[in-house]
Amino acid sequence: QVCPRLRTPRLPVWLCSVTGRHSVLFGTDSHLLSDWKTERVFHLYFYNGQQEQTKTAHLTIDTHSHHWEEDRSEDPSSPGKRRPSVEMAIRTKWAGATVSWNGTDPFF
């Protein structure tokens, strides 16, 4: 039998398979599960357990950013516009959100 806390976690946790690698994306704010107002700007942590990741990545998610604030001088198909797979996974839940890696080099 599955413990009730495993069926309804107290904190937001997503198990992901990003580019064929299993990883976990989680938050420490329990209100993210129950109060949509907390989905404006919030923090998530990403860990994939691979050797090249030495510490958990701290991500800041902004769901009310505006696409017109991006640099228009850059071609959308250029390598500079390429987005990490974990950002694309986050955008499946929060479309159009911007993700700040807070000084960590993004994982592609």
Side-chain angles (χ1 to χ4, degrees):
Q1 185 176 18
V2 177
C3 174
R5 292 223 168 103
L6 289 176
R7 288 180 277 164
T8 309
R10 289 186 177 192
L11 297 173
V13 176
W14 295 272
L15 300 176
C16 309
S17 177
V18 179
T19 62
R21 292 182 172 181
H22 292 84
S23 54
V24 64
L25 188 63
F26 62 95
T28 57
D29 183 1
S30 62
H31 293 106
L32 193 56
L33 295 171
S34 60
D35 185 4
W36 62 270
K37 291 179 237 164
T38 60
E39 291 185 6
R40 167 70 171 86
V41 176
F42 55 95
H43 303 280
L44 293 178
Y45 300 88
F46 178 72
Y47 182 72
N48 66 8
Q50 301 299 316
Q51 286 181 333
E52 57 271 7
Q53 185 178 5
T54 58
K55 65 180 184 171
T56 303
H58 172 212
L59 309 175
T60 301
I61 316 301
D62 183 352
T63 60
H64 288 265
S65 60
H66 303 290
H67 61 78
W68 59 81
E69 293 174 348
E70 291 186 23
D71 184 7
R72 293 267 184 208
S73 63
E74 205 172 326
D75 178 10
S77 62
S78 72
K81 282 290 189 180
R82 188 174 152 213
R83 300 287 185 229
S85 300
V86 70
E87 286 186 27
M88 301 311 292
I90 289 168
R91 289 189 184 115
T92 63
K93 175 141 177 74
W94 296 284
T98 58
V99 179
S100 169
W101 287 76
N102 299 309
T104 302
D105 289 331
F107 311 124
F108 281 91

